[in-house]
Structures are given as C-alpha cells and as structure tokens.
Amino acid sequence: MESMILKAIWFIIHFIVDLIESLFYYGLEFRENFIYFIKNISIDSLSRSKKNELAYIEARINDLKKLPKHIAVILNINNKKDVDLSKLVNLVSWSMNSNVNFISFYDYKGILKNQLASSFHQLIKDKLTLNNDENLVWGPDYNLKASLNEGVEFPHRNGFIKHLVINIYSSYDSYSLFNKLLTDDELSSKDIKIENVNKKISKLYGNIPEPELALYIGKTTCTAGFLPWHIRLTEFIQISYKLKNLTLDKYIRVLYKYAKCEQRYGK
Amino acid sequence: MNQYKNNETKLSFFENLAIKIIKQGPIPKHIAFIMDGNRRWATNFNLNKSEGHEFGSEKLSKILKWCPKIGIKEVTVYAFSIENFKRSQDEVNAIMKLFIRKLLEKEQELHEKGIKVKVIGNLDMLPNDVQKVVADAMLSTKDNSKLNLNIAFAYSSREEITNSIKTIVEGVENNELILEDLDNVLIDECLYTNQSSPVDLLVRTSGEMRFSDFLLWQVPSTVFYFTTSLWPDFTLWHLLAAVFYYQRNYTQAKALKEHYNQTRPAITNNPRVDKFLANLEEKRCTKLVEMNRLIKS
C-alpha cells in the first residue's frame, strides 16, 4: 500500500515538472516569435538579405572577449523526417559570419551522415551565396580531392578571409576510427606517449582543432559519444530545445555564454 | 560553518521521504562527480585553499553515506588531475598529505561500509609514500562489495586512453594478441575503469559545463548534470535533483546505452583476448603489491 502511494507521488511529481517545462518552453517560444515579429526579421533567415545578417551578427559579437574557432553541433535525430536541413544551413551561414573556421555536425545514429549528406550538400550549394572573400570546404569524407591525411591547413589558403570547413560525424567516427590507429604499423609501444598519439589521431580526423564549443539540441545534456579524444576542454551549451525553433538570436546567446566561461586549465 | 563539520548521518523525515519517492523511478547505478569549487568556496569564507580541500573531502564522505540509501552502487570522483600538478608546490604537497591522511583515517569506515576503493590514474606520477598508502587501500578493500569507489588521482582521460592503447600494442609485441583481435572495444577493456559498470550520470559542481579530461571515452551514454553550487555546498537535495534529472532523461540514456552496447563485463568470443585481459589484471595486481612494499622494479 505504501509503495503504491509513493509510486503515485513519483508520477505526480514528474507530471508536474513536465507541465512546468512545457509551459516554460511554450512561453519562451511565444516570446521569441513575438520579439521576432517586432524586429521584423523573418524566421526563415535564408530569405533575409545576406548583408543584413552579416551586419547584425558582426554588431552583436563585437564586444565578445573570445569566439570559438571550431563549433560542434550535437543533434538529436531519431529519423530523417526530424531534420530541417535549412536550419543547419543557417548554422553554417551564421558560423561563417562569426569567423568560425570549423563546424562539425554530429548525430550518433549517423542519419545526417549516411542518409542526408548529399541533400545537405546540395542545399548549401543552392542556398548559400558566398562573397569573394569567403570559402566553404567540406572535410575529408566529402572532399574527394583532399586525402584523409592532409586535412585543411591554416593560415588560410588562397587568401580567403573567411574559411569554413564542414564535417559530418556519427558514432562510427567517434570510436571505430580508432581501429585504424591500433593497427597502425608505425606504432611501437616504446614510443607511445600522449603527444604522438595525439598527432596520429589528429591526422585520422583531418587535423581539425579541438572544438571549444559544442552546441546541443534537445533537453538532455550528453555527448552522445561525440569524438571522445577531442572534447576534453569543450564547453557544452544548449542552443535550442528543438531544431525547428533554432533562431539567430539563440545562436548569438550561446556565443555570449561561451565568452563568459573562464578556463583555468588545472591551475 | 557548523553545518559543514556536522558528521551526523541521520536523515530528516523529509529527506527519507524524498529518497523513498525517488527510488520509485530508475536509479543510476554509477555516478561520476567532478568535485569542483573547493578553492573558490574557501576564498568565500576567507579560509586558505587546503582547508577548502579538507571540507571537500568531508563532503565526499557524506556522498558515500547517501549513495547506498538511494541505491547507487558505484561512485567515481575526480580528485586530482595530471594538470593539477601545475599548481604551486605547496598546494600539491598539501593535497598529497590530505589524501594520505584521509585514506588512513577512513580505513575502518571503508571496511564497515563494504566500500571497495580503486585509485585510477597514472600512479607512477605520485610520490612513493602516496603510492604505498594507495596500494594498501586498494589491496585491503578489494573484496568489499557494497559500493565501489573510484578515485581519479593523477588522472587524465587522454593519459588513460593512451595507456590503454600502449597496453594493447605491447600485447601484440608480446604475441599475446594478433592484429585481427584489435578493435576499439579492446580499448574499453584496457582502461583503468575496465572493471566498472557504464557511467549513468555525471555531476559537475561550480557551474562549469565541460569535462576537463575526465572519463571522455566512457561517457557516450552518460547524462550530464551541471550545478552552480560549489562542491562543499553540495547537499543531499542536489544529489536527489541530479538523480531526478537522470530520471527525466532516462529514455535518451537508455537508447544511447543500447546503441553503444555497453555491457559489463563485455562479452568477447575470443579466448586469446580473454587470456590477455586476465593477464592484464594479474599484472596490475602484482604492481599494486610491489607498490605496497615500496619495491622498485
């Protein structure tokens, strides 16, 4: 009898929190939409003029003490239909305009990588217009010209001021890639130290730098297995409850949160 | 100040009730803690940093009293990172002394509570006197089975992964393994945490939203709970809130666990690998015995 009452109380508490979360979520979404309406900025930013967006972003991030060079985007995808690719294209565009050099999309099931990558590729080609000083590069898996070991080198090639490398990962890239490391002929146990292992792993991943910032979508904070070696100092910040409600202001808000984080590096 | 030194373990009616209610839902079997904020807390009270660590370690004792009541079977804590060696010599020495003192002080309590202590990290980096006490604690508690406590000391996740890779490559060089045996699951099996169940929940105090090189390989299905409270201010209610958060995200965690197929012990169908892993455990045990006797090999 007692356990039935306790169980009932447990359900009720979770239910109440569910209600509060929903109210909060809908309240916030309503407020976002309202503010948008007032600011007269269309929610579909792809139709907004590129110049306006660039100016808007530059004005907002001007005061920030630090900006990430590599942003990871941890998606919460259960099937193909969940994904609004245009939102991801927005993220690419916004990152390009905030001087980000690497953007990595991740969903552990690999839906983006295995089923939607070419549509994503195509959508970016169609919708994103690049200025003369901007360059968009696809990481090793997509870039048929760059070999797996070369990666993209910095400072920028060919004098592009804005240079963005896009990568798409799945759980295969997080763990199974290490099989290649283990069977590497050149590895001898006497040499194995963190620095050499780090060099070899970097090569396996096309020499991408560690992501300073990981944005995640959804209510659960978790890595979902994203690139374990690379995330030791990464800040995990929620950007949006749902992908379909992703807005530029949310993105900028995350950059502000990131800029406030202080790193002590163990000292 | 008194509330921090209060060693009373009797819980109030509401605390007991809250625990009973929480237990109606899924409970994380293994929780990891990044115990951040001791020094900031000490500064807030105008104490010196080592006193902050003292209060921090008392907080850990309290956690070990609360966990069995909630049903948590394994606790892993990040006590000292390899990066922390960069701190002032005085502070590092103070932490080492504190660690030795606490291990010796709590020895009887560990046995009473059935706590199995494991210190994970690159133990060779520790001074000899610390190594001896650590080895003693690990060997004397190895048959305890009520709660597993893993203390990450001189630990960094990259060092752990690198060490695991090195172990595997040595295994190939010693002809204990062949190339076909090698895959990333073997890395799991050679980590310092290879005897532990998967980490269900990771709690970090003091508001930082990063992992600082802690358990990076082990957390694909782990739910993270961040709280702005400083470690010495962490209470039972914070712990219950963390478990509550875990329950609210349980479906996601479960889906990830299934995807990553984290079962312990991992099922290998390979007798050669089984033998290699058994040998590895034996070697590690022998090393502990040597450390305890302060033998240099």
Side-chain angles (χ1 to χ4, degrees):
Chain A
M1 187 60 204
E2 181 188 314
S3 80
M4 265 172 58
I5 299 180
L6 289 173
K7 196 110 196 182
I9 300 180
W10 183 84
F11 268 113
I12 293 173
I13 295 183
H14 274 279
F15 182 68
I16 293 178
V17 177
D18 276 336
L19 272 181
I20 297 177
E21 268 182 15
S22 305
L23 278 173
F24 199 59
Y25 164 68
Y26 284 114
L28 278 180
E29 290 309 314
F30 178 77
R31 185 172 152 263
E32 287 273 355
N33 294 347
F34 193 62
I35 292 178
Y36 253 22
F37 176 73
I38 290 185
K39 279 185 182 169
N40 204 24
I41 296 172
S42 141
I43 290 176
D44 178 6
S45 71
L46 293 175
S47 63
R48 184 191 316 157
S49 97
K50 172 119 177 142
K51 225 171 141 199
N52 277 348
E53 181 185 280
L54 176 56
Y56 185 77
I57 294 180
E58 281 183 350
R60 300 296 298 276
I61 65 175
N62 210 8
D63 315 301
L64 292 179
K65 277 186 285 182
K66 56 175 183 166
L67 285 170
K69 284 287 157 222
H70 180 179
I71 293 184
V73 182
I74 317 251
L75 301 163
N76 193 5
I77 304 178
N78 284 319
N79 53 55
K80 260 171 95 163
K81 289 174 273 162
D82 287 345
V83 192
D84 182 357
L85 286 176
S86 65
K87 299 291 176 190
L88 301 184
V89 176
N90 288 350
L91 269 175
V92 172
S93 165
W94 301 334
S95 313
M96 174 81 89
N97 290 332
S98 6
N99 296 323
V100 173
N101 296 127
F102 292 88
I103 185 164
S104 302
F105 292 95
Y106 177 79
D107 81 284
Y108 73 95
K109 287 188 183 164
I111 292 176
L112 186 62
K113 181 171 180 174
N114 301 327
Q115 298 174 40
L116 293 170
S118 29
S119 321
F120 187 35
H121 201 204
Q122 192 60 43
L123 196 61
I124 289 195
K125 262 176 147 175
D126 295 339
K127 295 286 184 176
L128 217 57
T129 47
L130 297 174
N131 296 339
N132 286 336
D133 63 350
E134 293 174 341
N135 188 24
L136 195 64
V137 178
W138 288 83
D141 273 357
Y142 253 92
N143 189 342
L144 300 169
K145 286 184 237 161
S147 78
L148 201 64
N149 286 331
E150 265 175 46
V152 180
E153 279 172 21
F154 270 49
H156 317 280
R157 289 192 181 130
N158 305 326
F160 286 108
I161 298 178
K162 290 193 181 147
H163 193 123
L164 182 65
V165 178
I166 305 182
N167 277 299
I168 308 180
Y169 296 113
S170 71
S171 65
Y172 173 84
D173 301 295
S174 296
Y175 291 97
S176 306
L177 263 191
F178 276 80
N179 295 353
K180 290 206 180 112
L181 180 68
L182 286 177
T183 51
D184 185 332
D185 285 334
E186 298 171 355
L187 221 54
S188 120
S189 67
K190 290 193 243 321
D191 303 324
I192 297 182
K193 297 199 189 355
I194 300 183
E195 299 84 44
N196 335 9
V197 171
N198 191 24
K199 276 204 197 104
K200 287 203 177 272
I201 292 178
S202 288
K203 249 186 169 182
L204 271 180
Y205 288 93
N207 288 324
I208 55 170
E210 289 172 36
E212 296 99 331
L213 171 63
L215 313 170
Y216 64 93
I217 314 243
K219 62 170 181 159
T220 313
T221 318
C222 67
T223 69
F226 175 70
L227 301 192
W229 184 266
H230 291 75
I231 56 169
R232 64 182 170 141
L233 297 172
T234 309
E235 304 283 341
F236 279 73
I237 304 181
Q238 182 194 49
I239 185 168
S240 180
Y241 210 68
K242 298 198 178 153
L243 182 58
K244 65 179 166 99
N245 298 119
L246 186 63
T247 63
L248 176 54
D249 277 337
K250 285 184 179 176
Y251 173 76
I252 294 185
R253 217 171 288 154
V254 171
L255 289 184
Y256 268 80
K257 277 200 193 135
Y258 169 75
K260 281 204 217 121
C261 294
E262 182 211 323
Q263 277 276 11
R264 292 180 298 278
Y265 298 108
K267 289 213 206 62
Chain B
M1 194 47 78
N2 277 334
Q3 71 197 114
Y4 296 105
K5 285 248 160 122
N6 185 4
N7 273 322
E8 252 209 43
T9 54
K10 202 150 174 286
L11 299 177
S12 77
F13 169 74
F14 286 109
E15 286 170 334
N16 274 318
L17 180 62
I19 290 179
K20 279 199 186 143
I21 295 175
I22 274 260
K23 280 175 89 163
Q24 301 302 313
I27 298 287
K29 292 279 168 292
H30 181 173
I31 302 189
F33 292 93
I34 300 184
M35 310 185 290
D36 202 5
N38 289 335
R39 295 181 298 168
R40 266 167 285 169
W41 183 88
T43 330
N44 288 347
F45 281 96
N46 276 326
L47 300 167
N48 63 43
K49 294 185 186 151
S50 20
E51 286 181 87
H53 293 305
E54 171 80 41
F55 281 101
S57 74
E58 282 309 308
K59 185 57 56 173
L60 176 57
S61 300
K62 287 244 176 72
I63 299 267
L64 295 177
K65 293 183 174 123
W66 296 329
C67 282
K69 295 197 161 93
I70 304 175
I72 296 157
K73 295 261 149 204
E74 186 157 11
V75 173
T76 302
V77 297
Y78 201 6
F80 191 79
S81 156
I82 293 181
E83 293 293 307
N84 294 150
F85 277 112
K86 286 187 205 158
R87 294 182 182 173
S88 73
Q89 196 56 46
D90 284 340
E91 190 181 342
V92 175
N93 289 343
I95 294 177
M96 296 291 158
K97 284 210 187 84
L98 175 68
F99 191 40
I100 293 179
R101 181 159 55 85
K102 286 292 161 183
L103 279 178
L104 293 173
E105 256 175 36
K106 305 280 174 183
E107 189 180 342
Q108 193 186 0
E109 198 179 313
L110 291 173
H111 284 296
E112 278 169 13
K113 300 225 175 329
I115 298 179
K116 175 177 176 180
V117 174
K118 198 167 170 191
V119 177
I120 55 176
N122 188 352
L123 304 180
D124 293 328
M125 293 177 85
L126 297 172
N128 287 342
D129 51 353
V130 181
Q131 284 190 30
K132 183 168 180 359
V133 176
V134 160
D136 190 49
M138 286 175 70
L139 289 169
S140 71
T141 59
K142 71 175 164 61
D143 294 320
N144 292 345
S145 56
K146 291 235 181 76
L147 182 87
N148 286 337
L149 170 64
N150 305 310
I151 305 177
F153 213 81
Y155 174 92
S156 93
S157 192
R158 283 195 174 186
E159 194 279 325
E160 182 182 26
I161 299 171
T162 307
N163 178 274
S164 188
I165 294 175
K166 183 172 179 180
T167 311
I168 295 172
V169 172
E170 277 173 355
V172 175
E173 288 170 1
N174 296 336
N175 294 319
E176 289 177 73
L177 295 169
I178 57 177
L179 277 183
E180 284 74 37
D181 297 328
L182 302 184
D183 71 16
N184 57 282
V185 176
L186 200 51
I187 296 183
D188 273 54
E189 297 304 306
C190 298
L191 295 170
Y192 302 134
T193 57
N194 59 3
Q195 307 291 316
S196 300
S197 56
V199 182
D200 297 302
L201 175 63
L202 188 143
V203 177
R204 179 164 189 161
T205 52
S206 89
E208 307 292 355
M209 294 170 284
R210 54 181 182 261
F211 312 110
S212 302
D213 223 344
F214 185 51
L215 300 182
L216 302 176
W217 191 270
Q218 292 91 326
V219 296
S221 67
T222 308
V223 174
F224 294 117
Y225 180 74
F226 300 96
T227 169
T228 49
S229 141
L230 299 174
W231 178 250
D233 290 327
F234 195 77
T235 64
L236 173 64
W237 295 103
H238 288 101
L239 180 58
L240 292 177
V243 175
F244 189 70
Y245 179 76
Y246 171 78
Q247 291 180 344
R248 296 195 60 70
N249 293 289
Y250 180 66
T251 358
Q252 173 79 322
K254 193 155 162 244
L256 284 167
K257 273 206 184 65
E258 277 161 17
H259 179 88
Y260 284 102
N261 201 22
Q262 291 173 295
T263 48
R264 276 283 174 277
I267 305 158
T268 68
N269 291 316
N270 188 331
R272 198 169 31 241
V273 170
D274 288 338
K275 184 151 179 259
F276 168 72
L277 294 174
N279 278 347
L280 178 61
E281 285 320 301
E282 242 186 78
K283 269 190 231 163
R284 286 182 174 171
C285 198
T286 317
K287 175 128 193 264
L288 278 183
V289 174
E290 286 176 3
M291 268 169 59
N292 197 18
R293 294 191 203 146
L294 284 180
I295 300 172
K296 282 293 156 208
S297 59

